[in-house]
Amino acid sequence: MGFKILEYLQPFCSFLPEVSKPERKIQFREKVLWTAITLFIFLVCCQIPLFGIMSSESADPFYWMRVIMASNRGTLMELGISPIVTSGLIMQLLAGTKIIEVGDSVKDRALFNGAQKLFGILITICQAIVYVVTGMYGEPSDLGMGICLLIIIQLLCSGLIVLLLDELLQKGYGLGSGISLFIATNICETIVWKAFSPATINTGKGTEFEGAVIALFHLLATRTDKVRGLREAFYRQNLPNLMNLMATVGVFLIVIYFQGFRVDLPIKSARYRGQYSSYPIKLFYTSNIPIILQSALVSNIYFLSQILSSKFAGNIFVNLIGTWAESGYQRYPIGGLCYYLSPPETIGHIITDPIHAIIYIVFMLGSCAFLSKTWIDVSGSSAKDVARQLRDQQMLMRGHREKSMVHELNRYIPTAAAFGGLCIGALSVLADFLGAIGSGTGILLAVTIIYQYFEIFVKEQSEMGGMSTLFF
């Protein structure tokens, strides 16, 4: 039944835009160029406002997911990578629960990827319609049918651009993936801005700079009591402080340290006698995929809750999903399921509401471990897939026959996936509790993505034979 469902979608997949695979090996300098062009297009789209929208001073209902979903309010990148990640999450859950079955052949994998792309486009259309109908850009009656349709078309076209840019990099023209590149750029931009922002804000105690580092020098220069000024720079509330910045650096170093944890399984060549090597299984076997999927899951719950809350305020079932309050230009959950899925804001909140903290920790650890465990089955990185890859390379595990490789790999890979996802969730919780800039999930994603690019660079350098040959 699973194969039939995917086969029914095959005629539609043939009409989807697609980036063809490169017919030759792409040189490293070309990959860097295509990656830079991709990033440039994304950043330009982040600054181009949607035509026809009415400016709104109301709170941003999707403030919580903007940084992680690489979206920018009121621009072509309004939806960011949300449709791609959501379609990946849906397809993964369907495949993981065996509602649809994905075979091991190249055709089945291609069909699965095509179906995922089709779902991404459908989700883009649905989200665009919901954004317009719920009044995100002004009342539909005030905008008119033509403008509403134009906004939906703009969001659909920008969603297709993001989808194709991601596919361009993943097909081998660039480095990494578009999703990772856009997330890391957005998070790093947020961290740098909150550390060095020259914007001024009136806090009631006088004008202060938003950036934590600039605020330090400003407070030391303007406060007569230097010790009090220093304490304020480290612990001030409602604005980025030096403790937040130090927590961010600390989490960065912790994640880099954990990246080195791995088990090397000895392998040997079946063709050449005496040729030995090793196959590394890292602690973060599925990298940052669990936290990306978990973020997509939570953001969609927030999305649904805020839509229902705005249309059916006071309904008991809607309140069970989430109740929301406004603060400045952002909305935050104060009750219901969404409240318990959100991180506690400070250490004080953990003490005053320990149930919230416990539920949040259990949810983060459990969801990351589950998503990581199920991801290996649909991404071609399970024990069976790794054993097949080794056989294709005519490699065997030392001390094991070809038939027993899958059994031996099953001792390590599912455990590494689940425990690695658990650690990813734990580090995200730690970063949230410490108050890292850009949220725990955000800083964790940024660090793992930057480390991935570092590994790609090292790999390319070793293949090309040195630094000079990479670019010249």
Side-chain angles (χ1 to χ4, degrees), residues 253-297:
L253 296 175
I254 291 171
V255 176
I256 293 295
Y257 175 73
F258 275 101
Q259 289 281 0
F261 282 52
R262 66 182 190 181
V263 174
D264 290 314
L265 299 180
I267 58 177
K268 64 179 181 178
S269 173
R271 179 185 295 179
Y272 304 107
R273 186 183 296 274
Q275 184 176 339
Y276 300 105
S277 184
S278 62
Y279 184 84
I281 297 178
K282 296 183 179 180
L283 173 62
F284 295 154
Y285 186 73
T286 52
S287 188
N288 53 22
I289 293 296
I291 208 73
I292 291 177
L293 296 175
Q294 189 270 345
S295 301
L297 177 64

Side-chain angles (χ1 to χ4, degrees), residues 37-228:
I37 291 171
T38 300
L39 183 57
F40 176 76
I41 293 171
F42 168 75
L43 292 174
V44 169
C45 289
C46 281
Q47 301 303 319
I48 299 177
L50 289 166
F51 178 79
I53 66 173
M54 295 181 177
S55 60
S56 175
E57 297 298 324
S58 62
D60 184 2
F62 308 113
Y63 169 83
W64 290 90
M65 63 184 229
R66 293 279 180 207
V67 174
I68 298 167
M69 291 294 121
S71 66
N72 199 10
R73 189 182 188 186
T75 69
L76 291 177
M77 283 297 118
E78 175 75 66
L79 301 180
I81 62 168
S82 177
I84 302 177
V85 177
T86 303
S87 67
L89 175 65
I90 292 171
M91 293 299 290
Q92 180 207 355
L93 292 175
L94 290 175
T97 54
K98 306 300 181 184
I99 295 176
I100 61 173
E101 295 180 12
V102 184
D104 297 327
S105 66
V106 176
K107 179 186 174 183
D108 292 331
R109 293 286 183 186
L111 195 56
F112 181 82
N113 292 333
Q116 186 169 314
K117 188 191 297 185
L118 179 63
F119 272 119
I121 294 173
L122 292 176
I123 290 169
T124 301
I125 296 172
C126 292
Q127 286 189 348
I129 293 172
V130 170
Y131 275 44
V132 172
V133 171
T134 54
M136 275 279 290
Y137 311 114
E139 288 299 321
S141 57
D142 297 333
L143 293 172
M145 180 64 73
I147 294 296
C148 289
L149 185 61
L150 183 60
I151 293 173
I152 292 171
I153 292 172
Q154 290 177 81
L155 291 174
L156 174 60
C157 291
S158 61
L160 284 172
I161 289 172
V162 171
L163 199 146
L164 291 173
L165 290 176
D166 178 59
E167 190 175 359
L168 177 74
L169 297 190
Q170 293 211 38
K171 285 288 180 71
Y173 290 97
L175 302 171
S177 70
I179 292 175
S180 296
L181 182 66
F182 302 153
I183 291 174
T185 301
N186 225 28
I187 295 169
C188 290
E189 179 187 356
T190 300
I191 293 171
V192 172
W193 179 256
K194 290 190 175 182
F196 302 101
S197 169
T200 54
I201 297 173
N202 192 342
T203 61
K205 298 187 245 181
T207 301
E208 291 187 25
F209 285 97
E210 183 183 6
V213 176
I214 296 179
L216 169 65
F217 294 104
H218 175 255
L219 290 169
L220 288 176
T222 56
R223 296 288 190 267
T224 53
D225 187 346
K226 304 302 179 185
V227 175
R228 183 180 175 185

